[in-house]
Amino acid sequence: MEKNRTDHLKALDGARGVAALLIVFYHIGGVVGGGEWFSGAFLAVDFFFLLSGFVVARSYEQRLRQGSMSLRSFIWTRIIRLYPLYIAASMVGFAYFCIKLSMKMPDAPTVRQLIDEITYSLALIPHPAAVPWGFTEFPFAPTAWSLSFEFWFGILYALLLPRLSTRALTMVAIAGLCVLIKEAYSHGSLDMGFNRATALGGAARFWFSFTLGVIMNRMNYRIRPMSSRALWIGLPVFSFAILPHNSVTAGFFWIIVVFPLALGAGASIKSRGRVELALDHLGRLSYAIYIFHGSMILFAGAFIKRLFAGPLDDHRGKMAVITVAATLAVSAIATYLYDEPLRRRLKRGLRRNSPLIQVNSALSTAHSATGLPTAPDRPAAPRRSRH
């Protein structure tokens, strides 16, 4: 199958959306209990890193190697792709803590703490001092820890990896895997990277999966072309969500074997009609779902506490329904009415001001991925098709 750098891989878009929803249920379970049903869903982040390496390399590596894209242009394209939704989600989280402060709640942050956190958040830098009042090192957008790896290590990728041979990249992936094995068995889980104590393990998660995605792109790895019916066969891939949280060996099987096979299969599936439309929307919403749901969980919890008696554990169903509904609604509004129009405008400005980068349809396949899960950009003026 010939490599095409301009088409959207709809099956992979849809997979990102499903994985993002699994992360939502994983975090809901962590707040209200019942998390054993989705105790392995955190492995979706490894899938996001693998997809990110594949798609970022597919979109930019050739231009970085040829010098037709500068490092500065690469950084700006990543800022345009990652920051609009991240800033919007951070503002929602900031509003939550401002409300707590205004209500003089005992665990509310001080004004000084909120102001200090703004700098860390804008720089995508973890802030351990925020944990006592903000629950995580990224209190305004709790899942931004993977975005931090995605953004800062992405710059390192642009500096070094495109110029390395595939053999050298393989050594980078093997080194990342060795560190990951050591850290995972020492920690007792692959769920690492969300705080500084597990930062080394999180970095290893990123470098192994991201580099493997880059290698798969270079090798043009595909399974033979398949129809959209193969999507149903791929559903068992998501059974990683029910793995025990401390099942390190099974987790490694998924990130080393299952996820790469799923990537190869997803890159080979051709979808049409309503299936393609559904996958497209899942992909477009995936990044917003991932980055907004942390704040939605906080607001949903506060809402339930004010309206219903008893602990949150007694209202698991309500918590799940309210959080998922709010996340989907906010994600749709933020994606379709804010993020996509803003990025189209910013890309036009980048095109005018940077002679080294030709922002074409390949830019539309630039995903995050949360790590980070992100959706493809939409064309500025569609006429006969949505592509």
Side-chain angles (χ1 to χ4, degrees):
M1 178 178 174
E2 185 180 354
K3 186 184 297 184
N4 187 339
R5 297 180 183 274
T6 62
D7 62 333
H8 294 164
L9 304 178
K10 300 298 185 184
L12 297 181
D13 290 344
R16 274 200 332 274
V18 173
L21 287 171
L22 290 176
I23 289 285
V24 175
F25 286 109
Y26 171 71
H27 286 141
I28 292 173
V31 173
V32 299
E36 63 274 7
W37 290 101
F38 297 95
S39 58
F42 66 88
L43 290 170
V45 174
D46 299 273
F47 186 52
F48 294 152
F49 287 154
L50 179 71
L51 284 175
S52 180
F54 181 80
V55 177
V56 168
R58 185 170 176 264
S59 302
Y60 303 127
E61 186 166 86
Q62 194 67 23
R63 285 182 285 165
L64 287 167
R65 297 178 76 173
Q66 293 174 347
S68 59
M69 172 179 260
S70 67
L71 176 63
R72 179 182 176 183
S73 294
F74 175 82
I75 293 172
W76 275 113
T77 58
R78 300 308 289 154
I79 289 174
I80 290 172
R81 185 65 201 95
L82 298 175
Y83 263 81
L85 277 179
Y86 169 60
I87 290 177
S90 296
M91 291 175 65
V92 174
F94 178 77
Y96 171 82
F97 290 106
C98 285
I99 293 172
K100 291 187 70 173
L101 178 62
S102 67
M103 296 176 66
K104 299 185 180 350
M105 299 183 70
D107 60 343
T110 65
V111 173
R112 179 69 181 182
Q113 287 173 324
L114 285 174
I115 293 174
D116 287 345
E117 180 55 34
I118 291 174
T119 302
Y120 285 92
S121 293
L122 287 175
L124 273 172
I125 296 174
H127 189 201
V131 173
W133 60 266
F135 315 116
T136 74
E137 296 182 8
F138 289 91
F140 298 158
T143 51
W145 67 268
S146 62
L147 241 64
S148 179
F149 287 126
E150 179 87 19
F151 181 73
W152 292 111
F153 285 157
I155 294 174
L156 189 57
Y157 154 79
L159 280 170
L160 301 176
L161 265 62
R163 295 161 183 81
L164 296 181
S165 66
T166 302
R167 179 177 296 181
L169 278 181
T170 302
M171 297 306 297
V172 172
I174 292 174
L177 179 59
C178 289
V179 175
L180 182 56
I181 290 172
K182 175 185 177 299
E183 291 297 309
Y185 281 103
S186 175
H187 180 63
S189 172
L190 278 159
D191 190 7
M192 299 177 292
F194 53 86
N195 57 26
R196 287 194 183 179
T198 61
L200 180 59
R205 289 177 74 184
F206 175 86
W207 281 115
F208 170 68
S209 292
F210 183 89
T211 307
L212 182 58
V214 174
I215 293 170
M216 291 180 67
N217 173 71
R218 286 192 182 183
M219 295 174 63
N220 194 23
Y221 175 74
R222 303 287 195 279
I223 295 174
R224 65 182 181 83
M226 295 176 285
S227 72
S228 58
R229 294 178 182 176
L231 291 169
W232 299 105
I233 302 175
L235 287 178
V237 170
F238 298 102
S239 61
F240 67 84
I242 62 174
L243 292 175
H245 187 267
N246 61 353
S247 184
V248 177
T249 302
F252 273 117
F253 177 73
W254 248 263
I255 67 174
I256 296 173
V257 178
V258 178
F259 288 162
L261 288 175
L263 174 58
S268 307
I269 293 175
K270 295 297 183 182
S271 56
R272 294 290 184 270
R274 293 181 180 178
V275 173
E276 181 179 27
L277 184 62
L279 295 175
D280 176 61
H281 283 288
L282 270 174
R284 290 167 68 184
L285 293 175
S286 60
Y287 178 30
I289 291 171
Y290 182 76
I291 201 63
F292 273 104
H293 80 269
S295 296
M296 295 301 102
I297 289 174
L298 294 176
F299 273 109
F303 177 76
I304 289 173
K305 284 180 180 179
R306 292 190 68 84
L307 291 186
F308 301 99
L312 285 178
D313 288 8
D314 295 340
H315 306 285
R316 294 176 184 177
K318 299 183 186 72
M319 184 74 179
V321 170
I322 293 173
T323 299
V324 172
T327 298
L328 290 176
V330 171
S331 297
I333 293 170
T335 297
Y336 300 138
L337 302 182
Y338 159 70
D339 182 53
E340 291 181 352
L342 177 60
R343 285 190 288 112
R344 284 196 292 266
R345 195 172 307 161
L346 292 174
K347 284 190 297 179
R348 286 195 294 267
L350 182 63
R351 184 188 302 118
R352 288 194 299 267
N353 296 326
S354 180
L356 287 178
I357 181 173
Q358 298 298 317
V359 183
N360 51 34
S361 57
L363 181 61
S364 68
T365 64
H367 308 292
S368 169
T370 207
L372 178 58
T374 58
D377 295 326
R378 309 308 303 159
R383 295 183 181 178
R384 294 186 181 180
S385 71
R386 295 181 64 86
H387 183 51

